[in-house]
Amino acid sequence: MIQPAVPINEKERLNALSAIELLQGVSEEEFDNITQLASYICKTPISLITLVEDEKNWFKSNHGGPPITETERKYSHCGHAILEPGNVMEVKDTRQDKRFCDNPFTTNPDLPILYYAGMPLLDNDGFAIGTLCVLDTKINRLSDEQKTALKNLAKQVEKLFELRRKNLHLEKVKKQLDDHNSLLKDFAGVVSHDMKMPLANMIITADLIKARYKNNVDEKGQQLLLNLKKSALKLSDYINGILNHYESDRIVASEEVEFNLHHLLEDIIDLLNITDNCEINFPPENMLLKCNRAALGQIFINLINNSIKYNNKDKIVIDIESAMDENHYYFTVTDNGIGIPEDQLSNIFKLFKTLYVTDRQGNQGNGIGLSTVKKLVESLDGKISVSSVLGESTSFKFDIKRA
């Protein structure tokens, strides 16, 4: 018996095998299908996908062979096969080959391996990491067509290996992006929270100066204080938007509960403390819902608040409709506000995208609210859309999955 030689690129070859991170001893259907097909085409009882490590071989797929998962490399047929990448190594009678004549697999009285044919499996850089091989307990010989088929099947195994390597790479990239995104979210949260108190102090201080020193500050100074307060309020609103956006993941994680739609809407109206001349029409039916109340409430808060802010009518009218089927709840929020230009409808759900229009108090939006709404809706396995008539109305339709 002659033990297989070690390839000159052994280190790189082993690194290539390790990079695929195949699960040893775990049967996978896509590999088992190939070994089953190889045995059928080559008319052999045994077919293996063998991976050659530094001291052992182990079988990614074992069709028809003994119930073992690995063998020692020094007795390996495949260890010899990988020395000639690109070629099928065929041994018609192992008893007549000096490399295998007294090999334990050849001399095994219960299951002698007298025939072997193996096609090396190459990674994307050409390193032979194993073989697709067929074995028989009697002398055999493959036809040219069978050898071609074995090569083609080996290429399919190589494609599975490469696909796995790429998926592993994408998973690692995704994890890195998730980690970076998590850090950014934490950073945004910390900075936003830390900025809220100084901003609140600025707003209060501006009001105090204006009230206490009103006789000492001329009209221009009063206007400057007003501008300072407006800027601080706008920045505060911006920070609150960022916090709501990044806290939406936490909101979505809230438990699903049963509640009445009208009760939810009444709580939202109380929370918004609406002072404008505003009529909000509830759906005729007070549906009993079972879903994420916190998330649905945040969606309605943003949509109703926008309907009030971006409205130039003397009387604000907001109509809310609802329906449901076996799988989803459906909602519509329609207002008689300023509307949205048709060429901007596709942009309004993008984070930080604004329409460069002012609200009822003359302030410009920050492009966070509707992005948060879309994120919440999609997190609840739903979709949202918008339609609008400029100067007349805007209608948001969305659905969420029932619990």
Side-chain angles (χ1 to χ4, degrees):
M1 188 191 83
I2 301 175
Q3 293 188 19
V6 177
I8 59 174
N9 58 5
E10 178 72 352
K11 182 179 178 181
E12 293 80 5
R13 191 191 69 78
L14 292 174
N15 288 338
L17 175 58
S18 176
I20 303 174
E21 296 184 20
L22 291 165
L23 298 175
Q24 187 171 353
V26 177
S27 177
E28 296 185 56
E29 184 179 3
E30 57 266 37
F31 294 109
D32 293 341
N33 288 340
I34 291 176
T35 52
Q36 183 180 4
L37 188 57
S39 276
Y40 175 78
I41 292 172
C42 297
K43 308 300 181 186
T44 60
I46 301 172
S47 178
L48 308 168
I49 293 175
T50 305
L51 299 171
V52 182
E53 292 189 328
D54 52 350
E55 294 184 358
K56 292 184 178 295
N57 291 351
W58 60 273
F59 308 134
K60 183 58 192 169
S61 179
N62 181 346
H63 175 76
I68 57 176
T69 59
E70 62 182 38
T71 61
E72 293 187 62
R73 182 174 174 180
K74 63 184 179 180
Y75 301 128
S76 167
H77 300 74
C78 299
H80 290 279
I82 64 171
L83 299 175
E84 297 183 36
N87 298 318
V88 173
M89 187 186 91
E90 185 178 34
V91 183
K92 302 177 183 66
D93 185 350
T94 56
R95 296 170 299 183
Q96 304 301 317
D97 192 305
K98 61 183 179 179
R99 294 171 295 180
F100 309 111
C101 59
D102 55 351
N103 187 294
F105 292 108
T106 304
T107 59
N108 185 337
D110 298 321
L111 188 69
I113 300 301
L114 302 184
Y115 175 80
Y116 172 90
M119 179 63 198
L121 300 170
L122 310 182
D123 83 330
N124 213 36
D125 294 317
F127 297 116
I129 58 179
T131 69
L132 171 62
C133 59
V134 293
L135 303 93
D136 206 337
T137 56
K138 64 181 186 299
I139 300 172
N140 204 334
R141 181 174 184 175
L142 297 185
S143 66
D144 290 341
E145 290 79 8
Q146 287 173 319
K147 288 181 180 178
T148 298
L150 189 64
K151 287 182 178 181
N152 290 337
L153 289 174
K155 289 186 182 297
Q156 296 307 308
V157 177
E158 291 170 355
K159 288 180 180 179
L160 289 174
F161 287 170
E162 180 61 15
L163 182 62
R164 182 176 183 84
R165 188 190 66 79
K166 288 181 177 178
N167 286 340
L168 287 169
H169 175 70
L170 290 176
E171 287 176 6
K172 291 176 182 177
V173 170
K174 181 180 180 300
K175 186 180 184 306
Q176 291 174 349
L177 290 174
D178 288 343
D179 290 343
H180 285 306
N181 193 36
S182 179
L183 288 172
L184 287 173
K185 287 170 67 174
D186 291 343
F187 176 76
V190 170
V191 170
S192 298
H193 279 293
D194 288 349
M195 290 178 66
K196 289 183 73 173
M197 186 57 70
L199 279 172
N201 290 336
M202 287 173 61
I203 295 168
I204 293 171
T205 301
D207 284 339
L208 287 173
I209 293 173
K210 189 174 180 181
R212 183 172 297 179
Y213 302 103
K214 61 181 179 181
N215 297 326
N216 302 92
V217 180
D218 61 15
E219 184 177 346
K220 185 176 181 180
Q222 294 281 346
Q223 185 61 46
L224 289 173
L225 287 171
L226 180 61
N227 292 341
L228 176 64
K229 181 178 178 180
K230 282 185 176 180
S231 297
L233 286 170
K234 183 176 180 180
L235 186 54
S236 179
D237 184 54
Y238 186 80
I239 288 171
N240 287 330
I242 291 176
L243 287 173
N244 288 335
H245 184 81
Y246 284 118
E247 288 178 359
S248 61
D249 291 338
R250 178 186 55 78
I251 294 172
V252 170
S254 303
E255 291 185 3
E256 296 170 333
V257 295
E258 280 192 345
F259 58 95
N260 290 317
L261 177 60
H262 284 190
H263 293 168
L264 172 67
L265 294 174
E266 287 166 358
D267 289 344
I268 289 171
I269 290 172
D270 290 342
L271 180 67
L272 291 176
N273 191 26
I274 299 168
T275 56
D276 295 287
N277 185 14
C278 180
E279 175 185 314
I280 300 179
N281 299 311
F282 289 5
E285 181 184 356
N286 185 16
M287 290 197 314
L288 180 65
L289 309 177
K290 186 174 182 180
C291 60
N292 188 321
R293 190 183 193 276
L296 181 60
Q298 190 63 47
I299 293 168
F300 273 121
I301 286 172
N302 278 283
L303 293 179
I304 293 172
N305 198 33
N306 270 11
S307 294
I308 296 171
K309 287 168 61 177
Y310 297 100
N311 197 308
N312 57 3
K313 307 298 191 300
D314 292 334
K315 182 176 183 179
I316 301 169
V317 179
I318 302 172
D319 295 316
I320 301 173
E321 300 173 19
S322 64
M324 65 178 176
D325 59 22
E326 292 182 357
N327 299 313
H328 288 80
Y329 299 114
Y330 300 90
F331 304 98
T332 304
V333 178
T334 303
D335 63 55
N336 64 338
I338 62 177
I340 303 169
E342 186 175 353
D343 61 350
Q344 295 294 323
L345 290 175
S346 60
N347 294 324
I348 62 169
F349 295 113
K350 296 178 180 178
L351 186 61
F352 303 128
K353 185 69 176 181
T354 66
L355 303 183
Y356 302 103
V357 295
T358 56
D359 63 17
R360 202 171 179 86
Q361 280 71 45
N363 300 315
Q364 188 173 309
N366 51 43
I368 300 176
L370 288 178
S371 173
T372 303
V373 166
K374 184 173 187 290
K375 184 180 179 184
L376 285 168
V377 169
E378 291 179 348
S379 297
L380 297 175
D381 296 321
K383 296 179 181 178
I384 186 167
S385 62
V386 60
S387 59
S388 184
V389 178
L390 191 62
E392 296 184 15
S393 67
T394 299
S395 182
F396 288 92
K397 293 184 177 182
F398 67 95
D399 64 272
I400 62 173
K401 193 172 183 179
R402 294 180 62 175

mmCIF file of all heavy atoms in Angstrom, residues 16-35:
data_model
loop_
_atom_site.group_PDB
_atom_site.id
_atom_site.type_symbol
_atom_site.label_atom_id
_atom_site.label_comp_id
_atom_site.label_asym_id
_atom_site.label_seq_id
_atom_site.Cartn_x
_atom_site.Cartn_y
_atom_site.Cartn_z
ATOM 1 N N ALA A 16 -9.175 26.560 2.237
ATOM 2 C CA ALA A 16 -10.337 26.615 1.343
ATOM 3 C C ALA A 16 -11.458 25.722 1.855
ATOM 4 O O ALA A 16 -12.640 26.099 1.812
ATOM 5 C CB ALA A 16 -9.929 26.190 -0.067
ATOM 6 N N LEU A 17 -11.099 24.545 2.358
ATOM 7 C CA LEU A 17 -12.099 23.634 2.915
ATOM 8 C C LEU A 17 -12.739 24.235 4.167
ATOM 9 O O LEU A 17 -13.961 24.177 4.348
ATOM 10 C CB LEU A 17 -11.447 22.286 3.248
ATOM 11 C CG LEU A 17 -12.324 21.252 3.956
ATOM 12 C CD1 LEU A 17 -13.565 20.940 3.132
ATOM 13 C CD2 LEU A 17 -11.530 19.978 4.230
ATOM 14 N N SER A 18 -11.931 24.842 5.017
ATOM 15 C CA SER A 18 -12.449 25.431 6.246
ATOM 16 C C SER A 18 -13.393 26.593 5.971
ATOM 17 O O SER A 18 -14.354 26.817 6.716
ATOM 18 C CB SER A 18 -11.273 25.907 7.115
ATOM 19 O OG SER A 18 -11.719 26.561 8.268
ATOM 20 N N ALA A 19 -13.127 27.318 4.873
ATOM 21 C CA ALA A 19 -13.924 28.510 4.560
ATOM 22 C C ALA A 19 -15.371 28.179 4.238
ATOM 23 O O ALA A 19 -16.255 29.031 4.387
ATOM 24 C CB ALA A 19 -13.294 29.276 3.405
ATOM 25 N N ILE A 20 -15.621 26.941 3.800
ATOM 26 C CA ILE A 20 -16.984 26.563 3.421
ATOM 27 C C ILE A 20 -17.841 26.290 4.654
ATOM 28 O O ILE A 20 -19.063 26.432 4.630
ATOM 29 C CB ILE A 20 -16.974 25.326 2.493
ATOM 30 C CG1 ILE A 20 -16.117 25.607 1.259
ATOM 31 C CG2 ILE A 20 -18.376 24.959 2.040
ATOM 32 C CD1 ILE A 20 -15.941 24.410 0.360
ATOM 33 N N GLU A 21 -17.202 25.891 5.757
ATOM 34 C CA GLU A 21 -17.883 25.630 7.024
ATOM 35 C C GLU A 21 -19.037 24.652 6.871
ATOM 36 O O GLU A 21 -20.165 24.879 7.327
ATOM 37 C CB GLU A 21 -18.401 26.941 7.640
ATOM 38 C CG GLU A 21 -17.285 27.906 8.018
ATOM 39 C CD GLU A 21 -17.813 29.143 8.722
ATOM 40 O OE1 GLU A 21 -18.937 29.098 9.245
ATOM 41 O OE2 GLU A 21 -17.100 30.168 8.724
ATOM 42 N N LEU A 22 -18.757 23.541 6.181
ATOM 43 C CA LEU A 22 -19.775 22.504 6.039
ATOM 44 C C LEU A 22 -19.984 21.797 7.371
ATOM 45 O O LEU A 22 -19.044 21.609 8.143
ATOM 46 C CB LEU A 22 -19.357 21.488 4.970
ATOM 47 C CG LEU A 22 -19.368 22.025 3.530
ATOM 48 C CD1 LEU A 22 -18.608 21.081 2.618
ATOM 49 C CD2 LEU A 22 -20.786 22.193 3.037
ATOM 50 N N LEU A 23 -21.215 21.408 7.627
ATOM 51 C CA LEU A 23 -21.547 20.742 8.879
ATOM 52 C C LEU A 23 -21.247 19.258 8.778
ATOM 53 O O LEU A 23 -21.859 18.544 7.985
ATOM 54 C CB LEU A 23 -23.018 20.971 9.220
ATOM 55 C CG LEU A 23 -23.428 22.433 9.449
ATOM 56 C CD1 LEU A 23 -24.923 22.540 9.661
ATOM 57 C CD2 LEU A 23 -22.685 23.019 10.637
ATOM 58 N N GLN A 24 -20.304 18.808 9.564
ATOM 59 C CA GLN A 24 -19.909 17.401 9.540
ATOM 60 C C GLN A 24 -20.979 16.543 10.209
ATOM 61 O O GLN A 24 -21.505 16.870 11.270
ATOM 62 C CB GLN A 24 -18.571 17.208 10.252
ATOM 63 C CG GLN A 24 -18.007 15.808 10.138
ATOM 64 C CD GLN A 24 -16.579 15.737 10.673
ATOM 65 O OE1 GLN A 24 -15.994 16.761 10.997
ATOM 66 N NE2 GLN A 24 -16.030 14.549 10.739
ATOM 67 N N GLY A 25 -21.297 15.431 9.542
ATOM 68 C CA GLY A 25 -22.251 14.483 10.107
ATOM 69 C C GLY A 25 -23.700 14.884 9.957
ATOM 70 O O GLY A 25 -24.587 14.197 10.457
ATOM 71 N N VAL A 26 -23.984 15.996 9.265
ATOM 72 C CA VAL A 26 -25.364 16.442 9.057
ATOM 73 C C VAL A 26 -25.762 16.178 7.613
ATOM 74 O O VAL A 26 -25.132 16.678 6.682
ATOM 75 C CB VAL A 26 -25.516 17.948 9.369
ATOM 76 C CG1 VAL A 26 -26.939 18.397 9.086
ATOM 77 C CG2 VAL A 26 -25.149 18.221 10.814
ATOM 78 N N SER A 27 -26.778 15.351 7.433
ATOM 79 C CA SER A 27 -27.239 15.020 6.082
ATOM 80 C C SER A 27 -27.991 16.207 5.494
ATOM 81 O O SER A 27 -28.817 16.832 6.162
ATOM 82 C CB SER A 27 -28.156 13.792 6.144
ATOM 83 O OG SER A 27 -28.675 13.499 4.868
ATOM 84 N N GLU A 28 -27.668 16.533 4.238
ATOM 85 C CA GLU A 28 -28.345 17.621 3.545
ATOM 86 C C GLU A 28 -28.861 17.096 2.205
ATOM 87 O O GLU A 28 -28.119 16.502 1.428
ATOM 88 C CB GLU A 28 -27.409 18.804 3.349
ATOM 89 C CG GLU A 28 -26.962 19.441 4.663
ATOM 90 C CD GLU A 28 -26.131 20.688 4.463
ATOM 91 O OE1 GLU A 28 -26.622 21.623 3.788
ATOM 92 O OE2 GLU A 28 -24.998 20.730 4.959
ATOM 93 N N GLU A 29 -30.124 17.328 1.953
ATOM 94 C CA GLU A 29 -30.809 16.706 0.826
ATOM 95 C C GLU A 29 -30.141 17.003 -0.510
ATOM 96 O O GLU A 29 -30.032 16.121 -1.359
ATOM 97 C CB GLU A 29 -32.267 17.182 0.801
ATOM 98 C CG GLU A 29 -33.107 16.512 -0.283
ATOM 99 C CD GLU A 29 -34.552 16.982 -0.270
ATOM 100 O OE1 GLU A 29 -34.874 17.865 0.555
ATOM 101 O OE2 GLU A 29 -35.346 16.477 -1.089
ATOM 102 N N GLU A 30 -29.694 18.256 -0.708
ATOM 103 C CA GLU A 30 -29.129 18.610 -2.005
ATOM 104 C C GLU A 30 -27.868 17.806 -2.316
ATOM 105 O O GLU A 30 -27.606 17.468 -3.482
ATOM 106 C CB GLU A 30 -28.844 20.112 -2.080
ATOM 107 C CG GLU A 30 -27.926 20.656 -1.009
ATOM 108 C CD GLU A 30 -28.675 21.195 0.183
ATOM 109 O OE1 GLU A 30 -29.708 20.603 0.554
ATOM 110 O OE2 GLU A 30 -28.215 22.200 0.752
ATOM 111 N N PHE A 31 -27.079 17.466 -1.302
ATOM 112 C CA PHE A 31 -25.890 16.631 -1.515
ATOM 113 C C PHE A 31 -26.273 15.157 -1.652
ATOM 114 O O PHE A 31 -25.722 14.443 -2.498
ATOM 115 C CB PHE A 31 -24.906 16.809 -0.355
ATOM 116 C CG PHE A 31 -24.306 18.181 -0.263
ATOM 117 C CD1 PHE A 31 -24.660 19.046 0.764
ATOM 118 C CD2 PHE A 31 -23.397 18.632 -1.207
ATOM 119 C CE1 PHE A 31 -24.112 20.314 0.851
ATOM 120 C CE2 PHE A 31 -22.844 19.897 -1.130
ATOM 121 C CZ PHE A 31 -23.204 20.745 -0.100
ATOM 122 N N ASP A 32 -27.218 14.706 -0.845
ATOM 123 C CA ASP A 32 -27.646 13.307 -0.920
ATOM 124 C C ASP A 32 -28.282 12.983 -2.271
ATOM 125 O O ASP A 32 -28.130 11.870 -2.786
ATOM 126 C CB ASP A 32 -28.641 12.999 0.200
ATOM 127 C CG ASP A 32 -28.000 13.060 1.583
ATOM 128 O OD1 ASP A 32 -26.757 12.980 1.645
ATOM 129 O OD2 ASP A 32 -28.729 13.189 2.573
ATOM 130 N N ASN A 33 -28.983 13.947 -2.855
ATOM 131 C CA ASN A 33 -29.571 13.720 -4.177
ATOM 132 C C ASN A 33 -28.502 13.466 -5.234
ATOM 133 O O ASN A 33 -28.677 12.638 -6.142
ATOM 134 C CB ASN A 33 -30.413 14.928 -4.592
ATOM 135 C CG ASN A 33 -31.703 15.034 -3.794
ATOM 136 O OD1 ASN A 33 -32.161 14.057 -3.202
ATOM 137 N ND2 ASN A 33 -32.301 16.212 -3.780
ATOM 138 N N ILE A 34 -27.381 14.173 -5.105
ATOM 139 C CA ILE A 34 -26.298 14.020 -6.093
ATOM 140 C C ILE A 34 -25.619 12.662 -5.958
ATOM 141 O O ILE A 34 -25.346 11.991 -6.961
ATOM 142 C CB ILE A 34 -25.288 15.179 -5.944
ATOM 143 C CG1 ILE A 34 -25.945 16.492 -6.394
ATOM 144 C CG2 ILE A 34 -24.031 14.902 -6.779
ATOM 145 C CD1 ILE A 34 -25.082 17.717 -6.203
ATOM 146 N N THR A 35 -25.334 12.209 -4.739
ATOM 147 C CA THR A 35 -24.691 10.890 -4.586
ATOM 148 C C THR A 35 -25.621 9.765 -5.031
ATOM 149 O O THR A 35 -25.177 8.780 -5.635
ATOM 150 C CB THR A 35 -24.251 10.661 -3.122
ATOM 151 O OG1 THR A 35 -25.351 10.908 -2.238
ATOM 152 C CG2 THR A 35 -23.093 11.562 -2.758
#
